[in-house]
């Protein structure tokens, strides 16, 4: 208990907490991000309807406008889509998928990038040159293109049926593969600085094996900037996922993410049912904007030198 | 300078070779090209003939060599989806994409640079503050969402601009242009804004921060001390010195514009290469995908080369330094 109080006191006195409470915009975006996580992961408990329970759907509820428009019903706050699914509930379930894919993709990219960056920085020589050359070539292509290529290639390898079953994993891997370069470069740069410091030399003198030094001693010292990149990348990964799903090469309509919802809603835009696509779109925009603002703030608060 | 150019050319060739190899590997190791073309009731001897004609059973280096030679002649095989030659499919759609990208890039530059200059000169005016806030939102909004919003506002609510297609086109030999007809010009407005908006915000922010930095330097103070007009100081001295990073970013972004055209073309059903690429990803049409990869790789490499050359034109300091790679 004492320990907890101690941590609390230390957290409250820290620079980060100070700069957090000083910035209303950041506090608002933190609150919104938190709200999204709550709504997304609490969806089965909090959502007013379960849009994937076929028994509870009624086709005669289809195309209901939002509650405040003429013809809307209070039980469907943001209206319904063509199959009578409540838009608010599909947004909550959709955000869960979007956030999960984004988060796992960032973890995958981070793991891959850290591993390769550590290897390149610590080994040096030909390994370093090879990894960094691959990184350079990949960096000259936009991430979304890489992700689409990986997706198309897996589709070719697995066949369409298998692919749509494994879609969520394929998506995580393809987004992860398109964002590892930034981590690898940052980690490598940090490792090059760290590995000549005295504590590494000391570890070498007492005879520790190379991999152990790299993992136990160097790695913890290069993680700071990596975590900052990861926050900013979460927004990017969510955008990439939404874009791919919107284009029809991401998640199938049976596992809708925000992008899939926007895509299926788009066909109704021209006939006037705007709420089916505009609300998921607004949800995506607000989510990305608040995560971006948080990431920017974290970067400035943790390390002013990174700017 | 010549040594620099030669080194860059060698680098570019190596990158192209790597891209070609990846695309070749995709082409050859994923799926069976023959199985993708023939139907279930194709007789066995036809399949054997086709295998021979496509040369799928030759050793790998032979096939890679053939792939590179064919690629240089613009021969990329047949699409699995339509069984048309891929080279022709792409050539047919290239003008649409290039026109869209060009208009988007011009829009981004023509609007982004003046806005950036203004925001840099008067950082505290309400207009600059508003532009900065709007640009932050612009960066956060995904491209396809901007496209949908524009369609909703200008095509659905106001009904003044078309929401899909290219309008009427006029053919000049192999090039079909939509820039000479009224319906074509109307059709390009929304896609070009969608595609260029992200680059616009980027260029604006970049010009702004560069301007603010340059305006603090001694040579600007000296120019003012000489009694030059504001106009001469701002545009003749300050803006000119911000151009090196702007050229770098614009050049690199031109490649990104062509790649992001995939999204814009899908939203607006624009009949370009990006839409073709997307369809080929959905159908796992490997020949089209790998050709697109080679093409985009080529575009990126050429743009990078041109950007490097432009440094020498814009920044005379680099010409005397020789071996430095220039830029930022």
């Amino acid at each position: 208990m004492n320990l907890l109080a101690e941590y609390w006191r230390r957290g409250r006195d820290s620079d980060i907490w100070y700069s957090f409470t000083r910035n209303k915009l950041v506090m608002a975006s933190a609150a919104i991000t938190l709200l999204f996580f709550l709504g997304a992961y609490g969806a089965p408990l909090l959502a007013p309807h379960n849009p994937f329970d076929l028994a509870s759907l009624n086709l005669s509820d289809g195309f209901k406008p939002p509650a405040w428009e003429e013809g809307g019903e209070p039980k469907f706050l943001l209206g319904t889509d063509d199959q009578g699914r409540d838009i608010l509930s599909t947004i909550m379930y959709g955000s869960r998928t979007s956030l999960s894919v984004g988060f796992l993709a960032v973890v995958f990219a981070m793991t891959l990038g850290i591993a390769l960056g550590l290897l390149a920085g610590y080994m040096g020589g030909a390994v370093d040159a090879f990894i960094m050359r691959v990184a350079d070539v990949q960096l000259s292509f936009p991430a979304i293109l890489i992700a689409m290529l990986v997706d198309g290639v897996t589709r070719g390898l697995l066949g369409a049926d298998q692919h749509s079953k494994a879609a969520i994993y394929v998506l995580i891997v393809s987004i992860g593969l398109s964002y590892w370069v930034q981590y690898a470069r940052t980690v490598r740069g940090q490792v090059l600085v760290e590995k000549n410091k005295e504590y590494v030399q000391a570890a070498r003198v007492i005879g520790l094996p190379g991999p152990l030094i790299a993992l136990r001693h160097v790695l913890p010292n290069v993680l700071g900037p990596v975590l900052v990149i990861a926050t900013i990348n979460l927004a990017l990964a969510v955008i990439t996922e939404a874009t791919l799903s919107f284009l029809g090469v991401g998640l199938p309509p049976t596992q809708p993410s925000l992008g899939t919802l926007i895509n299926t809603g788009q066909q109704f835009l021209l006939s006037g049912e705007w709420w089916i696509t505009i609300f998921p779109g607004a949800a995506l925009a607000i989510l990305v904007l608040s995560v971006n603002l948080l990431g920017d703030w974290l970067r400035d608060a943790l390390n002013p030198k990174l700017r | 300078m010549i040594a620099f150019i030669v080194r860059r050319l060698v680098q570019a060739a190596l990158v192209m070779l790597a891209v070609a190899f990846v695309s070749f590997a995709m082409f050859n190791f994923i799926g069976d090209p023959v199985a993708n073309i023939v139907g279930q009731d194709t007789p066995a001897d036809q399949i054997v003939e086709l295998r021979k004609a496509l040369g799928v059973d030759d050793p790998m280096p032979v096939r890679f060599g053939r792939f590179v030679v064919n690629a240089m002649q613009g021969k990329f095989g047949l699409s699995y989806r339509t069984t048309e030659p891929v080279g022709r499919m792409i050539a047919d759609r290239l003008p649409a994409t290039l026109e869209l990208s060009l208009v988007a890039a011009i829009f981004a530059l023509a609007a982004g640079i003046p806005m950036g200059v203004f925001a840099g000169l008067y950082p505290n005016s309400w207009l600059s503050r508003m532009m900065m806030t709007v640009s932050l939102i612009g960066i956060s909004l995904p491209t396809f969402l901007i496209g949908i919003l524009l369609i909703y506002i200008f095509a659905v609510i106001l009904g003044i601009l078309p929401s899909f297609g290219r309008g009427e086109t006029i053919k000049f030999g192999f090039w079909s242009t939509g820039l000479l007809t009224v319906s074509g010009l109307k059709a390009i407005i929304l896609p070009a804004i969608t595609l260029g908006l992200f680059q616009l915000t980027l260029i604006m922010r970049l010009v702004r921060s560069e301007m603010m930095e340059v305006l603090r330097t001694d040579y600007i103070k000296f120019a003012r001390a000489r009694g030059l007009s504001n106009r001469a100081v701002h545009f003749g001295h300050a803006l000119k010195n911000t151009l090196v990073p702007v050229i770098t970013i614009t050049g690199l972004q031109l490649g990104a514009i062509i790649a992001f055209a995939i999204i814009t073309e899908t939203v607006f059903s624009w009949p370009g290469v990006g839409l073709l690429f997307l369809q080929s990803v959905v159908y796992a049409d490997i020949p089209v995908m790998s050709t697109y990869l080679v093409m985009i790789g080529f575009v990126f490499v050429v743009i990078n080369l041109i950007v490097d050359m432009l440094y020498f034109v814009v920044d005379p300091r680099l010409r005397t330094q020789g071996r430095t790679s220039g830029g930022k």
Side-chain angles (χ1 to χ4, degrees), chain A residues 4-21:
Chain A
L4 221 62
E6 166 70 16
Y7 276 131
W8 170 248
R9 201 184 55 75
R10 226 194 271 175
R12 208 190 47 206
D13 291 348
S14 65
D15 291 351
I16 290 190
W17 183 251
Y18 179 77
S19 101
F20 182 76
T21 50

Side-chain angles (χ1 to χ4, degrees), chain A residues 113-161:
Chain A
I114 290 176
L116 289 175
L118 208 56
L119 200 68
Y122 201 77
M123 301 276 283
V127 179
D128 183 26
F130 179 73
I131 293 178
M132 285 301 123
R133 212 47 56 219
V134 173
D136 283 347
V137 172
Q138 186 175 332
L139 205 63
S140 56
F141 292 93
I144 188 104
L145 191 65
I146 309 273
M148 284 177 85
L149 276 174
V150 175
D151 186 88
V153 167
T154 21
R155 204 179 294 261
L157 285 174
L158 292 177
D161 280 356

